[in-house]
Amino acid sequence: MSSTAQLTVRPVPPRALALSLLALAVPVAAALLWPQALGEQGALLWLLALVPAFLLAYYRGWRGVATALALGMATLSLTQVVSTWLGHSIPDLLFGIVVAYLFISMGIGWVTELLHRDRADVEDLALTDILTRLPNRRHARVFLENEFGAAERGRLLSAVLFDLDHFKEYNDQYGHQAGDEALQAFGDILTETTRRMNLSARFGGEEFVSILAGSDGEGALAFAERVRIALKNKRLPVGALTVSAGVAAYHPSMRAPDELLAAADHALYRAKREGRNCVRLFGRPLLERDTPQQAEPDLEYDPHQEPQGEYPREGADVGRTQAPVTLIPHQLSGFGRGRRVLLVEDEESVRELVRTYLKREHFQVEAVGDAPSALRKLGAEYELVVTDLRLPGPSGTELVRAVKSRWPRSQVLVITGLREAEVMAEALAAGADAYLMKPFGMPELRAELADALARYDRARDAGEPDGSPLSADGKGRHETPHHTATVKGLLALAEAMELREPYMAGHGERVARYALELARAAGILDGTLNAQELDLACRLHDLGRLGIPATLFGKKGDLDPDEIRQVREHPRIGRRIVEPVLDMSTVLAVVSWHHERWDGTGYPDGLAGESIPLEARLVALVDALDAMTSPRPHRQGLPWSEAIARLRGVASQQFDPGLLAPLQRALPELKRIHDDALLDGRDGPKSSDGLLSSEPLSSDSDSSV
């Protein structure tokens, strides 16, 4: 379809017609009713006949002027015939008025035609891409809105989004001139291939759109494939280019043109992800994934042929917006046998639909309705976590971050709406592995699940860390001698942190001794937990404080929200320091999550219950004990008995209740360690009480921050 804007004939409003008739009626009435009273000057009233010429010229150009001129001359002639028959004399000025009327009307027509041509040029520039001479994005949207309205009345409609593959690299390698020529060449292909009733436009950059009125999904798929092959076979001045395309067909449940484009964009994303230089149809089962493209020599390249007919919609509900998710019947294969999935969806009907399908595919499914419930499930690893992004309480993005932090290998599939691009981007930045647009069909869900399982298996086979605690034999995945250069370097950093904050002197060592005694009392030392790794983990657990200004930990008064946010980053900072150089799961767990709380209100990831690794739960308890009983710059340490009472009082909210009995058994030895530290003088400076309390329930306490 040509991109040149065609000048449309605009209808003349009734008000303009009424004003034109009134302008002609005034001189007629004057000539017939009051000729003597007006005399020679009455002829000047015939200049009012120019009013129709002005008005019709504005709406119809030359044709309007010609119409007004003919109407005015006919009215004048008929009036003078009647006036003569009535015995009235013809004014001498009338002939001059007629000549002036003719010349002025011709002038109006000439000027108006120039204005109309300028307007046509402006419209052409406003609706046409200068480089490719295709319609631009604005033109495409206007056309799509019109055709979408026709589709709502029963007409077939499809949209195709094209994106030139690796176009930036092509531009960088061959230059912008070559890039412009490539865009022009692709524009020529679309112009030749698109029927006159349809429209192909440049959508922006290297993206193009084709709006195919009267074509179903299969017809649009064939059209896009012909365009793809035409570009592949095109001899460009330099280099070669391919194109990827996403196709979507209109469905009655779509409420706006943007939903059709979003569906096509989703299919385009799949084409890009599956290797480029291919075409994908939104909602189609992944037959193309394992099936090669049609043999190119067997395809006849006919630029104007587009198959039509009724589209056998496998996804009759694809595009549904009334319900958030529609599952389309699909052949079951049991590919989820032996796999564990955590499903997080707050809408019960949707959760049950997806859960039912997953169970029929033999997945082991845990389904919950909110993020806190999901966080409590993270005590065990799931191959897949499928979560909505819109959840009550903590957002899906926070859940994604917690899953990837706790179990790096777990694959997270987020479900998002077509208009939630910003939220989706946040989830991907938080670590989500893939996304699925609402509404989606069973084939799409199945394909994403299969992809996720394949990624999980590759990560497992490559030996990537799984985030799990130590094995029963107490050995880490890669046991590291305690006195290697790496460990010595990390311990030196921890010592530097304590030198920077003198009141922290001996804190890491005391926490380590407390933790070993508590683990021994719980019967998990050198069985579930390795003593050497646990000792090292405790000495390094606050290493991330090096990345926080020391003044924040000793500040008088309350911390403001920004300062609290900074302080609560230190577990993540510690992990970033330790993870690249030390592969010990116990150390990483303690450094990362020793400030998580049993009720899920801790930080940095909001883990709850048994989703917090056991070693981190244990260290959190003894870390708080030492923090409360040790003095800080703005307060004295609590008496031992009061600190123990406070620990017991908040255990069910902040700490693992299951550690209370071992704590009771270990108290005599823990008290001895505390008293030894007092005798050694390693408590740090003593001073008056302050606002930086060490109470476990305080949000600004040492045991919290």
Side-chain angles (χ1 to χ4, degrees):
M1 176 177 178
S2 172
S3 64
T4 304
Q6 299 297 321
L7 184 61
T8 56
V9 177
R10 294 181 291 176
V12 182
R15 288 182 300 175
L17 290 175
L19 186 58
S20 298
L21 293 176
L22 179 62
L24 290 176
V26 170
V28 171
L32 297 179
L33 300 178
W34 307 289
Q36 303 301 326
L38 296 175
E40 289 289 327
Q41 305 305 317
L44 295 175
L45 291 176
W46 284 103
L47 290 176
L48 290 174
L50 292 172
V51 172
F54 277 110
L55 293 176
L56 296 182
Y58 177 78
Y59 292 102
R60 297 294 182 89
W62 268 116
R63 284 181 293 177
V65 171
T67 301
L69 188 59
L71 183 61
M73 293 304 297
T75 303
L76 175 61
S77 300
L78 183 61
T79 301
Q80 294 309 313
V81 168
V82 174
S83 180
T84 302
W85 180 72
L86 293 175
H88 302 158
S89 61
I90 299 176
D92 295 336
L93 288 176
L94 187 58
F95 179 76
I97 295 297
V98 171
V99 173
Y101 172 69
L102 291 173
F103 277 100
I104 293 175
S105 296
M106 297 293 287
I108 292 172
W110 179 71
V111 172
T112 305
E113 188 65 21
L114 291 178
L115 293 176
H116 274 256
R117 289 178 181 177
D118 290 342
R119 181 169 64 86
D121 291 340
V122 171
E123 288 181 352
D124 187 57
L125 290 173
L127 299 175
T128 304
D129 176 62
I130 297 176
L131 178 62
T132 63
R133 301 305 299 170
L134 287 172
N136 61 13
R137 187 188 188 101
R138 179 184 298 176
H139 193 169
R141 290 201 66 86
V142 172
F143 186 85
L144 177 59
E145 288 173 1
N146 291 336
E147 292 303 324
F148 192 87
E152 290 178 318
R153 296 189 294 272
R155 187 179 184 184
L156 293 174
L157 176 65
S158 296
V160 184
L161 282 176
F162 295 97
D163 189 281
L164 298 179
D165 298 326
H166 302 297
F167 185 72
K168 183 179 183 300
E169 289 83 351
Y170 183 91
N171 249 342
D172 293 341
Q173 182 176 359
Y174 300 112
H176 290 287
Q177 179 62 34
D180 289 346
E181 292 175 355
L183 291 172
Q184 290 170 341
F186 187 69
D188 292 341
I189 291 174
L190 288 179
T191 300
E192 295 169 3
T193 309
T194 307
R195 296 184 300 179
R196 293 184 61 83
M197 65 181 293
N198 298 326
L199 179 136
S200 289
R202 186 180 180 190
F203 215 48
E206 65 271 23
E207 291 188 350
F208 297 80
V209 64
S210 292
I211 302 164
L212 309 180
S215 293
D216 59 16
E218 295 295 335
L221 192 65
F223 165 82
E225 182 66 13
R226 288 198 300 274
V227 172
R228 184 190 71 82
I229 294 173
L231 179 62
K232 186 175 181 181
N233 296 335
K234 181 79 171 180
R235 295 180 63 88
L236 299 175
V238 291
L241 272 176
T242 59
V243 68
S244 301
V247 179
Y250 169 80
H251 188 273
S253 60
M254 294 180 177
R255 295 179 295 183
D258 284 341
E259 294 192 19
L260 178 61
L261 289 178
D265 187 58
H266 185 57
L268 175 60
Y269 171 78
R270 184 182 294 281
K272 288 285 189 181
R273 192 178 59 187
E274 293 177 10
R276 297 181 168 85
N277 190 27
C278 60
V279 180
R280 292 294 179 259
L281 174 63
F282 179 77
R284 160 172 285 194
L286 294 185
L287 299 176
E288 304 100 332
R289 180 164 301 209
D290 301 315
T291 305
Q293 296 281 350
Q294 292 179 326
E296 295 176 4
D298 296 337
L299 286 174
E300 294 186 11
Y301 178 61
D302 181 353
H304 301 294
Q305 179 185 1
E306 289 186 17
Q308 297 186 31
E310 184 61 25
Y311 174 37
R313 300 178 188 273
E314 292 177 273
D317 290 330
V318 169
R320 181 177 298 278
T321 53
Q322 293 87 335
V325 175
T326 300
L327 297 179
I328 302 164
H330 189 277
Q331 184 176 359
L332 300 175
S333 62
F335 72 100
R337 196 179 308 276
R339 307 286 193 151
R340 303 185 74 238
V341 177
L342 176 61
L343 172 63
V344 189
E345 169 59 60
D346 62 320
E347 188 168 343
E348 185 176 359
S349 61
V350 177
R351 186 169 65 247
E352 284 304 306
L353 280 171
V354 178
R355 187 185 68 84
T356 299
Y357 167 69
L358 292 173
K359 291 182 73 69
R360 291 176 66 191
E361 290 285 10
H362 299 286
F363 283 96
Q364 299 175 29
V365 185
E366 294 278 355
V368 296
D370 53 59
S373 300
L375 290 169
R376 285 190 287 271
K377 296 287 186 181
L378 294 183
E381 183 181 22
Y382 296 85
E383 284 93 340
L384 300 174
V385 176
V386 181
T387 178
D388 198 342
L389 290 181
R390 300 291 187 183
L391 295 172
S395 70
T397 299
E398 295 176 26
L399 175 60
V400 170
R401 187 177 293 110
V403 172
K404 298 304 287 188
S405 177
R406 180 66 179 87
W407 302 104
R409 284 195 321 217
S410 294
Q411 297 296 301
V412 180
L413 172 63
V414 297
I415 301 172
T416 181
L418 294 174
R419 297 184 177 88
E420 295 177 338
E422 184 176 348
V423 179
M424 180 184 67
E426 292 176 359
L428 294 175
D433 299 282
Y435 68 89
L436 192 59
M437 288 283 195
K438 293 181 182 180
F440 58 83
M442 188 80 75
E444 287 189 294
L445 176 60
R446 185 185 190 281
E448 293 294 351
L449 294 174
D451 284 350
L453 290 176
R455 289 193 298 269
Y456 177 87
D457 291 342
R458 287 196 297 270
R460 180 195 59 201
D461 296 340
E464 293 184 13
D466 59 1
S468 60
L470 293 173
S471 58
D473 62 3
K475 302 297 183 182
R477 292 186 307 277
H478 301 289
E479 185 172 327
T480 305
H482 192 79
H483 296 292
T484 62
T486 298
V487 172
K488 286 182 178 180
L490 291 173
L491 288 172
L493 286 175
E495 184 177 352
M497 183 271 296
E498 293 189 358
L499 290 173
R500 189 184 72 150
E501 304 174 47
Y503 50 86
M504 293 291 290
H507 174 66
E509 181 183 349
R510 292 192 299 276
V511 169
R513 295 178 66 187
Y514 286 157
L516 290 171
E517 288 301 328
L518 182 58
R520 189 174 290 111
I524 56 177
L525 192 63
D526 289 325
T528 303
L529 298 180
N530 176 274
Q532 197 175 42
E533 285 203 9
L534 181 60
D535 178 79
L536 179 60
C538 293
R539 294 174 186 273
L540 300 179
H541 75 282
D542 271 334
L543 195 59
R545 292 168 73 108
L546 285 171
I548 309 297
T551 54
L552 294 184
F553 294 103
K555 178 183 176 181
K556 294 183 179 180
D558 294 335
L559 301 178
D560 63 37
D562 184 64
E563 290 171 333
I564 292 175
R565 180 191 59 78
Q566 291 184 63
V567 167
R568 290 186 173 185
E569 279 296 304
H570 82 267
R572 286 201 177 100
I573 295 172
R575 186 180 184 101
R576 288 199 295 269
I577 294 173
V578 174
E579 190 171 28
V581 296
L582 196 64
D583 186 17
M584 289 185 179
S585 59
T586 296
V587 176
L588 293 176
V590 169
V591 170
S592 302
W593 298 303
H594 66 281
H595 282 301
E596 300 290 357
R597 296 190 175 192
W598 185 256
D599 60 3
T601 61
Y603 62 90
D605 295 314
L607 301 180
E610 293 184 359
S611 66
I612 307 169
L614 175 59
E615 49 267 57
R617 283 179 265 152
L618 186 145
V619 172
L621 179 59
V622 296
D623 181 38
L625 175 61
D626 188 67
M628 287 189 292
T629 57
S630 300
R632 291 293 184 260
H634 308 300
R635 62 159 175 80
Q636 295 284 355
L638 293 176
W640 180 262
S641 57
E642 184 177 346
I644 296 300
R646 291 193 179 187
L647 284 178
R648 289 169 175 163
V650 298
S652 60
Q653 292 80 38
Q654 184 165 339
F655 306 112
D656 183 351
L659 292 175
L660 282 182
L663 176 67
Q664 183 64 33
R665 292 194 294 269
L667 276 180
E669 187 61 27
L670 297 180
K671 180 67 164 60
R672 185 188 63 78
I673 295 171
H674 170 72
D675 292 343
D676 288 348
L678 287 177
L679 292 176
D680 291 343
R682 292 183 294 174
D683 295 286
K686 299 180 183 294
S687 63
S688 60
D689 290 348
L691 294 176
L692 190 61
S693 169
S694 66
E695 298 179 22
L697 290 178
S698 170
S699 62
D700 295 332
S701 69
D702 287 0
S703 62
S704 300
V705 301

